[in-house]
Amino acid sequence: MSRFAEVIVLALDACEVMEPLTRDDESRSWRGRFVPIDSQWPGSFVIGWATEFERMRPRTGLFAYLEALPWPRPESVQVLIHDEEDSCFGLWMLEEGKLVEVALPQTRRYHLPAPPTDEFPPSPGVLVRTDKIGHDQLQQTPEAERDQRRAW
């Protein structure tokens, strides 16, 4: 399924940890590679890396992979994701070793009901600004009816 998503990883002192993720690696569950976000000052430190996914299936497993990395400063790890249907970037941070979405002011994530089979990759839902016209027309799927698999 086509669904573009931009992913930015911000982390202090993580150049060594992120370097292998700047290369393609067929052994990973997710497909792609990150590129460093260069500072406006050449030779300065790098604290950000970005990638883009064109489809949903190649991004499956990204969070588990990031969670397993030996971050030198895990409290600084932030993952920003803008899925093509989102109103804005969402924010995830490490909490007890797991990436957890941080609730942002004036936003709400809406989920679809789970598909009948695991044939399709899990959907991350849609992050919507609550100050956006029409947001109140969306229906939230009850927790028990959502896909329990991780979308990332």
Side-chain angles (χ1 to χ4, degrees), residues 86-127:
D86 293 342
S87 297
C88 61
F89 276 85
L91 170 65
W92 283 258
M93 295 180 74
L94 286 172
E95 183 178 293
E96 298 180 10
K98 296 290 183 193
L99 283 166
V100 176
E101 188 167 16
V102 176
L104 298 174
Q106 298 184 346
T107 64
R108 184 169 185 197
R109 183 166 299 280
Y110 289 90
H111 297 273
L112 298 173
T117 69
D118 287 348
E119 174 185 359
F120 298 103
S123 170
V126 179
L127 186 63

Side-chain angles (χ1 to χ4, degrees), residues 52-108:
E52 184 174 81
F53 294 96
E54 295 178 16
R55 303 198 182 285
M56 291 175 65
R57 195 169 308 282
R59 61 194 192 188
T60 301
L62 176 63
F63 276 12
Y65 192 91
L66 293 174
E67 290 165 350
L69 292 174
W71 299 102
R73 296 180 58 186
E75 72 283 359
S76 74
V77 175
Q78 298 173 58
V79 179
L80 299 162
I81 298 176
H82 179 256
D83 200 275
E84 75 177 87
E85 296 180 13
D86 293 342
S87 297
C88 61
F89 276 85
L91 170 65
W92 283 258
M93 295 180 74
L94 286 172
E95 183 178 293
E96 298 180 10
K98 296 290 183 193
L99 283 166
V100 176
E101 188 167 16
V102 176
L104 298 174
Q106 298 184 346
T107 64
R108 184 169 185 197

Side-chain angles (χ1 to χ4, degrees), residues 130-141:
T130 57
D131 58 347
K132 181 179 171 184
I133 296 173
H135 82 89
D136 53 347
Q137 296 174 358
L138 296 172
Q139 295 294 317
Q140 182 64 279
T141 300

